Amino acid sequence: MKKILLIAAVMLCATAAYAQDILSGGKVSGSFQVDGNYYWEDKGIDITEESLDGQLFGAYGFGKLQYQLGNFTAGIRYEAYQTTPMSGFDARVKGNGIANYFATYDNGTIGITVGDIYDQFGNGLIFRTYEEWTLGYDNSLRGVRAIFRPCDGVTFKGLYGKQRYYWVSYDEERGLVRGIDGEWDLNRSINALNGAKFKATLGASFVSKYESEKEHVDGDIKYILPQNVGAYAGRINLGYGKIGLSAEYARKINDPSAFNNWIYREGQELLASLSYSQKGLGMVLQVKRVDNMSFKSMNTALRNDLDIGFIPPINYTHSHSLPSMFSYSTQPLGEMGMQFQVNYTIPKKTLLGGKYGTKLAFNFSQVNDIKRNPIKVDGVEVPVYEPGTEGYDSPFFEIGDRVFYRDINFEIEKKINAKWNLTLMYINLHYDLDKIEGHEGAEDVEANFAFGEVIYKINRKHSVRVELQHMWDNIGENYDIDPMHPDFYVKRGNWAAFLVEYTIAPKLFFSIADKYNYGNPISDNRDHYVTGSIGFIKDQTRIALSGGRQSQGLVCVGGVCREVPASSGVSITITTSF
Amino acid sequence: MKKISVILASLALVFAMTSCDKLKEPYKIEPPVIVVDTNLVQLTAEDTLNFDGKIVVLLEDYTGVRCVNCPEAAEIASQLQEQNEGHLIVLGVHPNTAYQIPYNDVTDFRTEEGNDWNNYFNIDSYPSGTVNRKEAIGNPEWTAAVNNVIGSDAPVRLIVKTAYNESEREVSLSVYSKFLTTVESDDVRLTLCMMEDSIVGPQQTTTGVNTNYMHRHVFRGTVDGLTWGRVLDINSGSTIESGRYFATNMKFNVDEKYNADQFYIVAFITDHNTRQVLMAAEAKIK
């Protein structure tokens, strides 16, 4: 593995040096990241020789280079993933090679890209390709994209290609994706609206996938498959002074797949948001409805792969260690959600605002299932999700009874004086462990969290940050557990956590943290997860070294999650860019 | 610029309209055959003793009633079958192009499955053929391609057994597959075809339309409606080990329009990933 990384680094450096030499005048930029993990046995949290499977060392690295000369840009990314059972990555990411490359010419009116394309139409409901290193996720489109801007404010895009599917050859079976998008920014293209208080952007897109298979055979039943599946979306963004309104609606025709149990129902999705902002006050209300919108370029794909569409999450993203163990993962088959967020700053020099003002934030978000009613086929009622039928009927405005996720949180941030800064937060969380993590039959999590953080600046360079957290779970030490399903209780029960961090700005920090699951209903699970970290930053380079235990949890980015098992060991992350 | 925008919008509209296949019910086809677990027609000791361990090859003759050179190709196929008796099966496939437009009801030999196979192998000139579905080749190459595989060891012992109920026109079918070598594939399938031999009807020839032409080995569709066959073992991993044994049993009725006296079942096992045929077998229903 080290050898491979070394060769990769040398190759990339050589390419860069060569490029700089022959194309002087251009600009070369790039970034590198190497993550290394060394795991060891830890019987306290059930990490045995067997679970490590002899694979003690995991390493993941990438190098990204970009060259730009005038209207021309080209880039390349090399990836190497040496995964282990402990890393929690999908085993298919394992491998190394040039994962992506592209070349673009864009003169402002016409832009052409060949190679691997990352792009999105509107909010990405029917098309979004992106790469997320921490998830091991990459659904880039290898093909061609053309952009045409006939006049200021008007953009047309057209693209086609095949999506990346881990390291599987692009010649192998999966669908072609074709899409077009148009966007019109009225304020830029109509002179009378230039600089006007009223702002408007309109957009529309159409995406189609083509798969060659005409049928899916399951035993004796043959499902007739549409070879071309189209999806279309329209969007509008309006603004007037402090008020903003945006909405996007998408629809997809029959797209039977393994993911939706081979039903032929059309999919639809609505995402809308209303916002208001002025000095010291910001409010946003978002609503979302998703119905049968899994859109993948291979109808047998079942996991986080080959997604053409993207479902934006509308939940608060927790960064603190205890609540972040319960992150929400979006549900493409169906969900109805809303979020309301208010940020208010109590002005300076008032009784509650004090010398520096006081920041308050309130967030409420809830996601329910959609309502599904059984349908009749030839006069006979069939079960919901019966394959080879429309699947179910779902009234647009009716909310399903099942609550997947609810988060109510309130935060106060107060700078007390030049040296002290205080943050307090309260969170009330409902988390459907069955739906989100697939523990079928597990009881929902109903938890309350308290969080407090104090930052003390010793002097201009040195500061200390102390964080305390507690989680009260509805399942306690005396809970009558289901002995057949110990996996239901891995992170249940009360937790307490602390973190102390010492920073010597701008180069160095040390921290020590502990999470203690003292109230777990299974006494063997009442473990401490102690970690120590050191970080070093110089210019564009950051090195972080940490060691200790990691608890089982989900890593989620943008509502897409991967599960990370509990582990014990040391890890190092080096990132640099130029 | 306006013009360009109009053109772009029109192109977008055309693209949108042609890139959606909105299907209508029924979305699924449940085949008219009855598949059962019990063996309908027993395998006898004689069947296994008759098996010589050598491969049985499938030659698919992509042909058409309006194809002038097709009779010559059919002749080559029949000769090859005679020369390799018991080790070569011929299937005359009539896809759906201008060369297969029937002269009358009798000569409508077109099948949906045959057309799908034709498209998969990118066949657009006739006669063409495949030997064990390796690739599409012209009839001058058939002899060499057949000789190339004939005589090699069979990877599977494939035996087709049939019983026919005259009054009901019902066929009971049992297909026994025993793997003699380990096959490295996660998708091994069994395709069951209906074949009607010796049908008299018009055919284009080099000397004009011969109304008394004998159409041989006419593919009449798959028994179970599955174009690419049924998965032999849905629980299999990436291999099917040597020694594995499968029995496939079903019942179906022979359509009135077919001649049951000249009706055959052609079975073959394919690696669906490559589409190549591993072994073929046939049996007359009467």
Side-chain angles (χ1 to χ4, degrees):
Chain A
M1 190 62 221
K2 280 181 190 165
K3 258 190 193 169
I4 292 165
L5 287 175
L6 191 67
I7 293 166
V10 170
M11 262 177 63
L12 287 166
C13 292
T15 315
Y18 179 65
Q20 269 179 326
D21 191 33
I22 61 157
L23 294 168
S24 53
K27 193 181 141 203
V28 177
S29 60
S31 59
F32 294 87
Q33 178 167 335
V34 176
D35 301 301
N37 293 299
Y38 182 79
Y39 302 103
W40 52 61
E41 261 183 75
D42 186 343
K43 295 204 171 101
I45 52 170
D46 293 329
I47 310 294
T48 59
E49 209 173 307
E50 204 171 82
S51 50
L52 289 169
D53 194 23
Q55 299 173 63
L56 305 180
F57 187 73
Y60 329 101
F62 70 82
K64 206 156 70 173
L65 282 176
Q66 193 158 309
Y67 175 79
Q68 194 181 358
L69 178 65
N71 294 332
F72 175 78
T73 315
I76 188 168
R77 192 172 82 244
Y78 189 94
E79 282 179 8
Y81 275 98
Q82 178 62 42
T83 58
T84 77
M86 291 286 102
S87 61
F89 283 112
D90 189 308
R92 293 172 294 177
V93 303
K94 193 171 185 167
N96 65 83
I98 294 168
N100 290 84
Y101 48 82
F102 73 94
T104 296
Y105 175 80
D106 195 328
N107 65 10
T109 304
I110 296 273
I112 305 279
T113 300
V114 292
D116 295 300
I117 297 155
Y118 294 106
D119 203 340
Q120 82 176 54
F121 295 165
N123 293 296
L125 305 190
I126 61 167
F127 182 79
R128 183 183 182 212
T129 54
Y130 66 107
E131 179 265 322
E132 182 51 59
W133 182 250
T134 48
L135 296 175
Y137 186 91
D138 185 359
N139 66 344
S140 56
L141 191 74
R142 180 163 294 178
V144 182
R145 178 185 61 189
I147 300 177
F148 176 52
R149 302 176 194 91
C151 56
D152 203 22
V154 178
T155 308
F156 292 106
K157 276 185 205 173
L159 47 80
Y160 88 92
K162 259 186 172 185
Q163 286 184 287
R164 181 173 177 201
Y165 186 40
Y166 301 100
W167 298 97
V168 176
S169 157
Y170 282 86
D171 297 331
E172 289 196 25
E173 196 61 37
R174 59 189 177 276
L176 261 183
V177 178
R178 299 130 334 160
I180 47 173
D181 182 67
E183 191 163 276
W184 182 25
D185 183 339
L186 276 67
N187 298 77
R188 281 176 58 197
S189 59
I190 300 171
N191 285 339
L193 289 174
N194 272 351
K197 218 175 174 188
F198 170 75
K199 304 218 178 314
T201 308
L202 303 172
S205 46
F206 179 82
V207 176
S208 165
K209 66 159 174 172
Y210 168 81
E211 287 186 81
S212 59
E213 293 288 327
K214 286 186 196 163
E215 61 189 41
H216 163 70
V217 177
D218 184 9
D220 293 326
I221 301 170
K222 183 162 89 174
Y223 298 100
I224 301 161
L225 300 180
Q227 288 182 294
N228 296 287
V229 174
Y232 48 93
R235 59 185 185 270
I236 185 166
N237 287 310
L238 298 173
Y240 188 80
K242 296 166 181 170
I243 301 169
L245 172 71
S246 75
E248 182 164 6
Y249 176 76
R251 214 171 162 90
K252 180 179 65 116
I253 69 157
N254 47 203
D255 182 19
S257 66
F259 200 89
N260 73 7
N261 202 33
W262 307 100
I263 63 165
Y264 289 70
R265 181 180 168 75
E266 292 201 351
Q268 59 174 332
E269 184 171 352
L270 174 72
L271 180 71
S273 138
L274 178 67
S275 63
Y276 175 85
S277 72
Q278 65 165 62
K279 189 167 187 285
L281 176 67
M283 284 193 282
V284 61
L285 172 70
Q286 287 181 300
V287 292
K288 176 170 71 162
R289 185 180 193 282
V290 178
D291 177 0
N292 194 27
M293 275 304 279
S294 159
F295 190 26
K296 292 171 181 283
S297 65
M298 187 164 77
N299 55 31
T300 49
L302 274 172
R303 286 187 270 177
N304 283 339
D305 38 42
L306 295 168
D307 289 304
I308 306 171
F310 172 75
I311 294 171
I314 53 166
N315 308 97
Y316 186 90
T317 307
H318 289 286
S319 54
H320 311 314
S321 61
L322 294 186
S324 70
M325 291 193 295
F326 302 92
S327 298
Y328 182 64
S329 155
T330 50
Q331 303 295 319
L333 290 181
E335 58 177 24
M336 274 176 102
M338 67 87 73
Q339 171 171 237
F340 178 63
Q341 163 98 25
V342 189
N343 291 77
Y344 177 65
T345 306
I346 303 174
K348 292 175 191 174
K349 294 169 189 164
T350 58
L351 182 64
L352 293 169
K355 191 179 171 187
Y356 301 94
T358 302
K359 288 180 184 166
L360 305 176
F362 171 76
N363 181 283
F364 171 84
S365 69
Q366 179 163 329
V367 188
N368 281 48
D369 199 357
I370 56 169
K371 182 104 180 154
R372 293 183 188 82
N373 297 323
I375 50 159
K376 284 185 174 178
V377 177
D378 299 329
V380 181
E381 191 174 292
V382 293
V384 168
Y385 278 113
E386 172 73 11
T389 70
E390 298 268 340
Y392 57 87
D393 184 42
S394 182
F396 193 87
F397 293 104
E398 270 187 52
I399 301 168
D401 297 331
R402 187 167 175 180
V403 180
F404 292 156
Y405 187 81
R406 185 192 310 114
D407 178 6
I408 305 166
N409 65 66
F410 183 70
E411 189 183 56
I412 305 174
E413 192 189 331
K414 176 83 192 134
K415 186 171 179 182
I416 294 164
N417 57 38
K419 287 197 176 293
W420 292 89
N421 197 313
L422 176 73
T423 305
L424 296 171
M425 191 176 193
Y426 163 77
I427 303 158
N428 175 274
L429 199 75
H430 171 101
Y431 182 84
D432 187 332
L433 200 59
D434 173 343
K435 188 73 190 177
I436 302 168
E437 297 189 19
H439 297 296
E440 211 177 322
E443 195 174 320
D444 293 345
V445 177
E446 301 278 1
N448 291 291
F449 298 81
F451 170 85
E453 181 195 71
V454 180
I455 299 172
Y456 175 67
K457 277 193 178 169
I458 299 164
N459 56 39
R460 208 168 57 83
K461 283 196 159 183
H462 293 241
S463 64
V464 182
R465 185 168 77 90
V466 178
E467 211 183 89
L468 293 172
Q469 297 178 64
H470 193 273
M471 166 180 155
W472 292 267
D473 193 358
N474 58 324
I475 285 183
E477 279 174 55
N478 302 320
Y479 185 78
D480 190 10
I481 64 156
D482 173 359
M484 298 303 288
H485 291 286
D487 57 308
F488 288 1
Y489 312 101
V490 170
K491 53 185 178 185
R492 300 303 305 265
N494 290 1
W495 287 78
F498 81 88
L499 177 139
V500 181
E501 187 181 80
Y502 193 90
T503 305
I504 306 167
K507 285 186 175 167
L508 213 54
F509 71 87
F510 312 89
S511 74
I512 182 150
D514 182 26
K515 290 199 296 184
Y516 180 31
N517 191 188
Y518 72 91
N520 196 290
I522 299 174
S523 58
D524 272 0
N525 288 353
R526 290 172 201 150
D527 298 311
H528 281 276
Y529 295 87
V530 181
T531 50
S533 303
I534 304 172
F536 174 75
I537 301 159
K538 186 175 190 304
D539 303 328
Q540 304 294 320
T541 304
R542 182 176 182 274
I543 301 171
L545 183 72
S546 65
R549 279 178 176 176
Q550 182 187 292
S551 65
Q552 188 217 40
L554 287 182
V555 174
C556 297
V557 181
V560 177
C561 303
R562 78 178 169 95
E563 204 172 312
V564 182
S567 63
S568 201
V570 285
S571 71
I572 184 165
T573 295
I574 305 168
T575 55
T576 185
S577 59
F578 62 93
Chain B
M1 278 306 179
K2 259 188 182 171
K3 263 188 188 170
I4 296 174
S5 300
V6 170
I7 293 168
L8 276 174
S10 314
L11 280 174
L13 197 67
V14 170
F15 168 56
M17 281 161 62
T18 54
S19 303
C20 280
D21 298 339
K22 179 82 189 95
L23 302 181
K24 285 190 178 136
E25 286 192 89
Y27 301 126
K28 58 180 172 181
I29 296 171
E30 283 157 295
V33 296
I34 305 165
V35 180
V36 293
D37 288 334
T38 48
N39 290 347
L40 296 172
V41 193
Q42 296 303 321
L43 195 65
T44 62
E46 199 187 347
D47 295 320
T48 54
L49 289 171
N50 284 342
F51 175 68
D52 66 359
K54 297 297 176 196
I55 197 163
V56 178
V57 178
L58 178 72
L59 167 62
E60 282 162 290
D61 172 9
Y62 285 85
T63 184
V65 292
R66 291 177 190 267
C67 152
V68 68
N69 294 318
C70 285
E72 186 197 332
E75 187 55 35
I76 295 173
S78 294
Q79 280 171 11
L80 279 169
Q81 198 173 25
E82 265 174 43
Q83 287 159 19
N84 300 291
E85 199 190 342
H87 292 94
L88 181 72
I89 293 167
V90 179
L91 203 56
V93 183
H94 297 248
N96 191 2
T97 77
Y99 294 101
Q100 289 82 22
I101 295 169
Y103 289 108
N104 55 22
D105 283 352
V106 175
T107 49
D108 190 358
F109 302 139
R110 298 170 297 179
T111 56
E112 230 177 80
E113 294 96 326
N115 197 49
D116 288 344
W117 298 344
N118 180 84
N119 294 344
Y120 180 83
F121 289 102
N122 280 326
I123 296 171
D124 51 13
S125 65
Y126 307 92
S128 274
T130 62
V131 173
N132 277 355
R133 293 200 168 166
K134 265 204 165 127
E135 58 183 328
I137 49 176
N139 55 312
E141 298 168 69
W142 291 359
T143 309
V146 168
N147 290 340
N148 210 17
V149 273
I150 282 282
S152 47
D153 290 337
V156 185
R157 188 189 72 198
L158 182 65
I159 297 171
V160 181
K161 298 287 286 176
T162 60
Y164 185 64
N165 179 332
E166 190 85 57
S167 58
E168 303 280 327
R169 291 180 70 84
E170 187 188 65
V171 178
S172 297
L173 175 66
S174 293
V175 183
Y176 300 94
S177 326
K178 185 182 181 184
F179 282 72
L180 306 174
T181 53
T182 297
V183 172
E184 303 274 342
S185 172
D186 59 356
D187 194 353
V188 176
R189 298 191 184 188
L190 171 68
T191 306
L192 297 165
C193 303
M194 298 181 286
M195 188 258 277
E196 189 181 353
D197 199 12
S198 306
I199 307 166
V200 176
Q203 167 73 44
Q204 180 70 253
T205 68
T206 47
T207 54
V209 177
N210 175 357
T211 51
N212 283 318
Y213 182 79
M214 174 99 68
H215 295 273
R216 301 289 315 273
H217 313 116
V218 177
F219 169 59
R220 289 299 202 175
T222 54
V223 173
D224 46 12
L226 305 177
T227 304
W228 298 102
R230 57 182 51 234
V231 177
L232 259 190
D233 181 7
I234 51 164
N235 301 316
S236 78
S238 55
T239 56
I240 293 191
E241 276 84 33
S242 173
R244 290 290 303 279
Y245 183 80
F246 303 94
T248 311
N249 293 282
M250 57 186 74
K251 280 183 182 179
F252 69 98
N253 293 85
V254 177
D255 199 299
E256 291 284 349
K257 65 187 180 203
Y258 302 146
N259 178 6
D261 293 328
Q262 291 291 349
F263 207 77
Y264 291 74
I265 301 299
V266 172
F268 51 90
I269 286 178
T270 54
D271 175 352
H272 187 65
N273 296 322
T274 61
R275 302 293 201 278
Q276 289 195 21
V277 175
L278 304 175
M279 183 69 178
E282 69 178 341
K284 206 172 179 186
I285 61 163
K286 281 176 83 176

